[in-house]
Amino acid sequence: MLIVKVCCSEFINENRNKRELSVCYELGMNILVMAKGCKEDKFKKDTVDGFDVLRFSTRPLGDRFPKSINRLFSLFTWAYYVRMLRADIISGHDLTALLIAYMSNISKQKGKKSKLVYDSHEFEIGRCGNRNKFSKWAITHLERFLMKECVFSIMVNDTIADEVQRIHNQKVRPIVVRSIPEYWNIDEVVIKQTRFELLRGNGLPVDTFTIMYHGGIIKDRGIETLIELVSINLKISGVILGNGQKDYMKYLQSLVKEKGIEDRIIFHPAVPIEELWKYVGAADVGMVMIRNVCPNHYYSLPNKFFENIQSMTPIIGSNFPEIKRIIEQYKIGLTCNPDNIQEINKCVEKMRIDREFYKQCKKNLIQAKKDLCWEKEKKVLEKSYKELI
């Protein structure tokens, strides 16, 4: 049985997709990934983390034509190529990928159609961007139509699953598979050494109370908030771990310089997922301070949240439904208004000064770490794919 994963990105740091495909592999399926490539790529094959990837251009008409025309045309070319693969199952990384999968099925005889799976990594209807009323209407109706063509759909948390079911008036609720990493076996000695190198290497005492943001360096993820926090609290330092676009990185660095805190803010490039626990575990607190700029952000439950848990790092998070629910359930940190710097600073000071509270958070992370790992989370996905095959 062949499953094709349609991924309109480059399939490099696609950990959620890779975890889904690992379940399919364990069930004995053959796997192909269709992903973005260069202009000249057509069925160029390479291997990423053990998965065979076929590369295709998203600009099949070349640079002479606008990006919008190229994207529209690539929908048809990608659908044609997917059809040629004769997959038993096609899993769409997002709504665009699902549309490509659906188009590849058009005019196939009923018994020969590929089964479609919608693996939505976001709350598609509520994503950020310059969407007017018409585009929101079109996205809502397109998602509703395409989900009816799927054997099942996957959402990243319960709140989004409930909202999607309500908006589309679905009888069957999408299954929930959160973006949770495998159980990480961490080494405290290695973490202490990483902390020493990180802080002393930047001229800071090893006992400096350290707050970390890790992940994509993107606007509205609370990075400016972390910088502001360090500027008003002279007793803490901040680490920003990840990669971002050059212009935004330069802006953040200039902001740090403007506030005169270059000696207490550390910029560190992204590290491989296998080594992430060394760095996240080296911080005293992980910041998951996403701003409420759109429903997708408000309902989010990002990878970095669970990566802090697996690294045994207490969390200060936005007081949004999913983040707040888990923090309060396991008592592994604090939540607050992500736009209120004074409220955030009170949480930081609670963590820094109240050592009994902090120690209890660390102790509670042991159970959270056991419960919130991929080995347990994947069972829902295994069940759905077993029923399908």
Side-chain angles (χ1 to χ4, degrees), residues 293-308:
V293 294
C294 63
N296 182 52
H297 279 44
Y298 183 68
Y299 296 144
S300 66
L301 191 58
N303 294 1
K304 64 178 69 65
F305 180 81
F306 296 105
E307 288 161 356
N308 275 290

Side-chain angles (χ1 to χ4, degrees), residues 275-287:
E275 298 181 18
L276 188 57
W277 59 270
K278 302 176 187 178
Y279 294 85
V280 179
D284 293 292
V285 170
M287 289 276 283

Side-chain angles (χ1 to χ4, degrees), residues 81-106:
Y81 295 139
V82 172
R83 185 186 182 93
M84 290 176 63
L85 297 174
R86 297 181 180 179
D88 298 289
I89 303 168
I90 307 172
S91 174
H93 163 95
D94 55 16
L95 192 59
T96 302
L98 182 60
L99 176 59
I100 290 168
Y102 171 78
M103 290 169 65
S104 74
N105 260 346
I106 293 175

Side-chain angles (χ1 to χ4, degrees), residues 71-219:
R71 284 180 174 174
L72 179 62
F73 192 76
S74 67
L75 286 176
F76 293 93
T77 57
W78 277 50
Y80 174 72
Y81 295 139
V82 172
R83 185 186 182 93
M84 290 176 63
L85 297 174
R86 297 181 180 179
D88 298 289
I89 303 168
I90 307 172
S91 174
H93 163 95
D94 55 16
L95 192 59
T96 302
L98 182 60
L99 176 59
I100 290 168
Y102 171 78
M103 290 169 65
S104 74
N105 260 346
I106 293 175
S107 79
K108 281 185 183 178
Q109 294 179 7
K110 190 173 182 180
K112 295 185 177 180
K113 289 181 182 287
S114 303
K115 296 183 174 73
L116 306 184
V117 173
Y118 181 30
D119 180 21
S120 181
H121 294 212
E122 310 277 352
F123 180 44
E124 187 67 44
I125 298 167
R127 289 178 69 174
C128 296
N130 298 320
R131 291 179 172 179
N132 55 33
K133 288 184 179 180
F134 174 76
S135 63
K136 288 180 180 178
W137 177 89
I139 289 167
T140 301
H141 283 76
L142 178 61
E143 185 176 63
R144 182 176 301 160
F145 170 76
L146 291 177
M147 287 182 73
K148 289 179 181 178
E149 301 297 314
C150 294
V151 286
F152 64 87
S153 297
I154 310 166
M155 299 295 154
V156 292
N157 63 52
D158 289 297
T159 303
I160 291 176
D162 290 339
E163 274 296 287
V164 169
Q165 184 181 26
R166 181 189 65 79
I167 290 167
H168 298 320
N169 194 27
Q170 296 172 326
K171 292 182 180 178
V172 179
R173 182 178 185 258
I175 68 169
V176 173
V177 181
R178 294 169 293 184
S179 296
I180 296 180
E182 293 83 2
Y183 185 91
W184 289 354
N185 291 304
I186 63 176
D187 186 329
E188 292 294 341
V189 174
V190 173
I191 287 173
K192 285 180 181 178
Q193 180 62 31
T194 304
R195 181 183 175 93
F196 179 87
E197 293 170 359
L198 194 62
L199 295 176
R200 288 299 296 271
N202 288 276
L204 288 165
V206 179
D207 61 352
T208 304
F209 197 79
T210 304
I211 314 293
M212 178 180 285
Y213 167 88
H214 80 276
I217 309 300
I218 303 169
K219 191 178 179 183

